[in-house]
Amino acid sequence: MRIRPAAVAGYFYPGEASELAREVDLLLSQPKPALPAPPRGLIVPHAGYLYSGAIAARAYLTLPEQGFRRVILMGPAHTKAVRGIALPDWTHYQTPLGRVALDTDALSELDGRYETRIDNLAHAREHALEVQLPFIQVRLSGCLLLPMVVGAIRSETLADCLSALMQPDDLLIVSTDMSHFLTESEAEQRDQHTIARILSLSDDLLGEEACGAYPLNGALCWAKRTGIRPHLVARGNSAQVSGDHNRVVGYAAFALC
């Protein structure tokens, strides 16, 4: 086994297993949002659980208890510049809750197609993917994982990749935050505009609108092709926790139905 150890446990989320399990259970104790149909995908934030965990949890609550075999998890590159799609060649990801098995066959078949390449360094400390894993372990226990760190890429190319990958029992998860380091009033205004663009399936979002703009644009392009619609399930910002109204990060969660 080639295991990618937890990199941000104890920082973005609790580092001790029992504490993390309690935290995730607490975040998932909210009422389940109503949707017109079961989701095929989620768009979720990736800040520390203190800031955006409850917002992400609202999206995970929309998932059925059974029905998915694999999670295709996409997020932006925070720690290493990436062009196209970076794939890992590990067999498992580790969190305090245990290991998540990767779909190594699919990763091998995908390598070199749709601007993909193996790049473990892009994954080694990437929190945007890691913070989703405890939710996946609790809500989607036993699912295989296909993780992708997505840098500069045309939305059509990523949509082609998703069209080739997505099977009826796959779930797509896109990890992204909204605006960064504006005043709270500016953040609210920009995020409202970004949310409206996501709901209308605009696939040309910019980095100042969503830090995961590249994976998000590809997912929205794919959704537009397949007749899938986003539904907003929660939104918020860091000022609601930190009290700092001058350097605010925005968060929103959607279900793709």
Side-chain angles (χ1 to χ4, degrees):
M1 287 190 292
R2 301 181 304 280
I3 300 170
R4 186 268 199 195
V8 297
Y11 178 48
F12 277 76
Y13 61 87
E16 198 274 327
S18 60
E19 183 184 355
L20 176 57
R22 286 194 299 271
E23 178 75 7
V24 174
D25 284 346
L26 178 62
L27 292 170
L28 292 171
S29 65
Q30 307 172 68
K32 179 179 178 178
L35 290 176
R40 291 296 318 280
L42 305 176
I43 300 168
V44 286
H46 55 235
Y49 284 10
L50 176 66
Y51 293 97
S52 68
I55 294 169
R58 290 278 289 171
Y60 284 101
L61 280 166
T62 66
L63 299 176
E65 292 296 330
Q66 304 291 334
F68 296 109
R69 181 189 69 87
R70 181 175 69 174
V71 174
I72 298 172
L73 174 61
M74 305 194 304
H78 286 94
T79 63
K80 181 182 184 290
V82 170
R83 292 196 65 83
I85 302 168
L87 305 174
D89 71 355
W90 290 298
T91 60
H92 296 78
Y93 272 22
Q94 180 84 38
T95 80
L97 298 183
R99 295 170 183 162
V100 182
L102 273 57
D103 188 345
T104 53
D105 290 341
L107 289 167
S108 296
E109 292 172 8
L110 187 58
D111 183 24
R113 304 172 63 206
Y114 307 106
E115 300 183 29
T116 64
R117 60 189 56 82
I118 298 296
D119 185 350
N120 279 350
L121 190 57
H123 285 259
R125 296 198 59 80
E126 182 50 63
H127 71 271
L129 303 189
E130 184 179 328
V131 298
Q132 309 305 335
L133 299 182
F135 287 113
I136 291 169
Q137 288 172 295
V138 171
R139 291 291 293 159
L140 298 159
S141 177
C143 282
L144 291 173
L145 182 70
L146 201 168
M148 299 189 283
V149 172
V150 182
I153 190 171
R154 295 174 65 248
S155 58
E156 294 83 1
T157 302
L158 184 51
D160 289 344
C161 179
L162 291 175
S163 294
L165 285 172
M166 285 290 290
Q167 300 298 315
D169 54 357
D170 286 341
L171 177 74
L172 175 64
I173 299 179
V174 182
S175 179
T176 184
D177 292 340
M178 298 284 113
S179 63
H180 279 57
F181 308 137
L182 303 175
T183 66
E184 187 171 19
S185 60
E186 291 169 338
E188 286 291 306
Q189 183 176 7
R190 179 169 293 179
D191 291 345
Q192 186 61 44
H193 177 70
T194 301
I195 288 168
R197 300 231 294 140
I198 291 170
L199 294 175
S200 66
L201 292 173
S202 299
D203 60 2
D204 57 353
L205 295 165
L206 302 175
E208 55 262 34
E209 296 173 291
C211 66
Y214 286 119
L216 180 56
N217 285 335
L220 294 174
C221 183
W222 168 79
K224 190 171 1 181
R225 292 180 183 179
T226 52
I228 290 171
R229 302 293 306 185
H231 298 266
L232 179 67
V233 296
R235 64 171 297 192
N237 64 59
S238 60
Q240 295 164 341
V241 175
S242 69
D244 181 351
H245 302 278
N246 295 314
R247 284 174 56 83
V248 172
V249 179
Y251 314 115
F254 304 79
L256 301 172
C257 301

